[in-house]
C-alpha cells in the first residue's frame, strides 16, 4: 500500500477501527480531494463509526446530521428562537425601552449544517436515504458551495472545508447529481482476518481459538439465506456475550449458541441458524 494510505490505516487502527484497502483508499482520496465520502453497505458494517473515528484521528469535532423523513433545510441549518425574541420584546416593553435587533446571533439557534460551517469538523450526514429527495437537492447545493445565506444576517462561508461522510442504507436510490459530487464506496462484510482483528480489539480476553471459531461461525451464518445477516456490530456483541457466559462457567461452543440472540434477531433466522448449528460449529 502507498504510504499515506497505510498511515491512515494505522491511525484508524490506533482508534480500534480496522478498514480494508478499498475503504482506506476511498477515505484517503476523499480527504485529499476534499470530496464527500458516500458510504453504503449492510447494517452494522462500520459506516457511521468511520466518521467518528476520522474526527478523532483528525482532531476535529464530529458534527452529526441524522436524517429522517420530513427533515427540512431549517431543521438542518438554523432556526430563530421565537420564544426568546418574544421575551425580549416583553422585557423592553415593560421597561419602556425601544426593542433592539431581534435577528442577530443572540436569537439564532445553530443546527448541524450551520455549525459545520463555523467549526473545523467532520460532518456526518447519516442515513441520507431516509430524508426526502427535496432535502437531497438542498444538500447538493450546500455541498457545492459550503456557504449559506441567512437573509437577516448575510452570507456565511465555511471557516474550513468540512470533511464530509455521508451514509446510506440504500432504502432508496440517491440522485445521480448527489452521487456525482461524492466519492462512493460500498463497505462489504469483512474477511475473516479483519474480523479477527476487530474481535481481538473489542472483545479482550477471548482466546485465539474461541475468536477463530466465532469468526468462522459468523462467516457461515452470513452465507445462509437470512432476512438480516449479522454485521460487525453483532459479531462484537455476540463475542462479548459469549465471553461473559464462559466467565460464568459455560463451555465454549455452548456459550456461543446460548448468546445467539445477540447475533440474529429474527425468529426465522434463528431457526435457520439452529438447523445448521453443527456445520457452524455451534
Ligand atoms: N471496521 C471496523 N472496525 C472496528 N469496529 C467496527 C468496524 N465496523 C464496525 N465496527 C463496530 O460495529 C459497530 C457498528 O458500526 P456502525 O454503527 O458504524 O454501523 P453502520 O454501518 O453505521 O450500521 P447502520 O447501517 O445500522 O447504521 C461500531 O460501533 C463498531 O464498534
Ligand atoms: Mg449507521
Amino acid at each position: 500500500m502507498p504510504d499515506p494510505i497505510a498511515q491512515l490505516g494505522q491511525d484508524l487502527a490506533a482508534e480500534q477501527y480496522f478498514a480494508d484497502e478499498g475503504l482506506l483508499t476511498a477515505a484517503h482520496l476523499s480527504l485529499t480531494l476534499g470530496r464527500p465520502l458516500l458510504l453504503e453497505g449492510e447494517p452494522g458494517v462500520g459506516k457511521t463509526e468511520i466518521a467518528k473515528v476520522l474526527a478523532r484521528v483528525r482532531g476535529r469535532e464530529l458534527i452529526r446530521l441524522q436524517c429522517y423523513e420530513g427533515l427540512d433545510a431549517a431543521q438542518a441549518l438554523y432556526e430563530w428562537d421565537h420564544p426568546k425574541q418574544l421575551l425580549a420584546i416583553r422585557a423592553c416593553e415593560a421597561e419602556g425601552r425601544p426593542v433592539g435587533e431581534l435577528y442577530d446571533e443572540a436569537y439564532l439557534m445553530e443546527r448541524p449544517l450551520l455549525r459545520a460551517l463555523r467549526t473545523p469538523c467532520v460532518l456526518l450526514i447519516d442515513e441520507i436515504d431516509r430524508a426526502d429527495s427535496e432535502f437531497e437537492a438542498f444538500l447538493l447545493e450546500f455541498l457545492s458551495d459550503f456557504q449559506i445565506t441567512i437573509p437577516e444576517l448575510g452570507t456565511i462561508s465555511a471557516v474550513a472545508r468540512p470533511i464530509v461522510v455521508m451514509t446510506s442504507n440504500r432504502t432508496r436510490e440517491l440522485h445521480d447529481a448527489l452521487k456525482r459530487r461524492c466519492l462512493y464506496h460500498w463497505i462489504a462484510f469483512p474477511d475473516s482476518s479483519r474480523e479477527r482483528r476487530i474481535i481481538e480489539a473489542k472483545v479482550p480476553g477471548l482466546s485465539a481459538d474461541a475468536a477463530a471459531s466465532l469468526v468462522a461461525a459468523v462467516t457461515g451464518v452470513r452465507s445462509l439465506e437470512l432476512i438480516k445477516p449479522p454485521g460487525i456490530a453483532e459479531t462484537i456483541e455476540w463475542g462479548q456475550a459469549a465471553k461473559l457466559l464462559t466467565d460464568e462457567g459455560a463451555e465454549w461452543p455452548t456459550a456461543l449458541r446460548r448468546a445467539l440472540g445477540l447475533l440474529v434477531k429474527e425468529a426465522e433466522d434463528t431457526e435457520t441458524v439452529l438447523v445448521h448449528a453443527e456445520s457452524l460449529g455451534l
Side-chain angles (χ1 to χ4, degrees), residues 55 70 73 78 80 84 103 142 159 171 176 193 210 226 228 230 250 277-278:
Y78 67 91
W80 291 108
K84 196 171 170 189
Y103 288 94
F142 179 85
V159 289
T171 56
D176 284 342
S193 67
L226 298 188
K228 286 215 182 89
E278 202 172 328

Side-chain angles (χ1 to χ4, degrees), residues 224-226 266-277 280:
L224 303 171
E225 294 271 313
L226 298 188
E266 299 282 337
E268 293 88 333
D269 287 351
T270 308
E271 231 170 83
T272 311
V273 169
L274 288 177
V275 167
H276 294 86
L280 292 168

Side-chain angles (χ1 to χ4, degrees), residues 23-263:
L23 177 56
L24 287 176
T25 307
H28 168 68
L29 286 175
S30 151
L31 292 168
T32 318
L33 301 173
R35 291 256 200 139
L37 179 62
L38 171 59
L39 299 174
E40 287 191 330
E42 303 281 347
V45 291
K47 301 184 293 298
T48 302
E49 183 77 2
I50 193 174
K52 299 182 185 170
V53 174
L54 269 180
R56 292 207 292 273
V57 164
R58 288 294 172 120
R60 285 186 171 209
E61 185 181 329
L62 176 79
I63 297 179
R64 180 176 188 165
L65 176 67
Q66 176 63 51
C67 298
Y68 52 88
E69 210 183 317
L71 172 66
D72 64 26
Q75 291 157 331
L77 279 172
Y78 67 91
E79 284 167 292
W80 291 108
D81 191 343
H82 296 304
K84 196 171 170 189
Q85 288 171 325
L86 207 61
L87 282 177
I89 295 171
R90 294 234 178 90
C92 290
E93 281 171 358
E95 293 164 19
R97 287 188 283 121
V99 178
E101 183 50 66
L102 287 173
Y103 288 94
D104 72 7
E105 266 316 312
Y107 303 99
L108 188 68
M109 295 190 293
E110 210 177 50
R111 299 296 181 229
L113 294 185
L114 175 57
R115 185 163 177 76
L117 294 181
R118 296 161 131 186
T119 321
C121 67
V122 170
L123 172 62
L124 166 63
I125 303 173
D126 215 8
E127 307 186 344
I128 173 74
D129 51 327
R130 291 192 188 200
D132 311 313
S133 72
E134 298 82 69
F135 185 77
E136 222 180 289
F138 155 76
L139 205 56
L140 183 64
E141 210 179 297
F142 179 85
L143 293 176
S144 28
D145 305 340
F146 285 111
Q147 65 171 36
I148 61 154
T149 299
I150 301 179
E152 297 85 351
L153 292 182
T155 298
I156 297 173
S157 310
V159 289
R161 200 186 177 86
I163 295 170
V164 181
V165 177
M166 242 185 287
T167 79
S168 163
N169 278 53
R170 241 194 186 174
T171 56
R172 65 171 176 81
E173 273 293 310
L174 303 178
H175 290 214
D176 284 342
L178 187 72
K179 286 195 196 155
R180 215 173 297 131
R181 212 137 274 297
C182 301
L183 202 148
Y184 176 85
H185 184 76
W186 171 267
I187 303 190
F189 288 125
D191 63 20
S192 303
S193 67
R194 194 156 63 87
E195 202 152 27
R196 280 280 290 278
R197 284 184 78 190
I198 296 171
I199 287 299
E200 274 160 27
K202 304 235 164 162
V203 193
L206 197 67
S207 75
D209 281 352
S213 62
L214 177 124
V215 168
V218 171
T219 308
V221 167
R222 286 192 192 124
S223 72
L224 303 171
E225 294 271 313
L226 298 188
I227 303 168
K228 286 215 182 89
I232 298 173
E234 284 73 22
T235 310
I236 295 170
E237 288 179 0
W238 194 33
Q240 288 168 340
K243 162 94 179 27
L244 187 103
L245 291 179
T246 54
D247 291 346
E248 292 170 356
E251 295 296 322
W252 182 249
T254 315
L256 271 186
R257 198 170 56 238
R258 282 173 48 199
L260 201 58
L262 284 149
L263 188 75

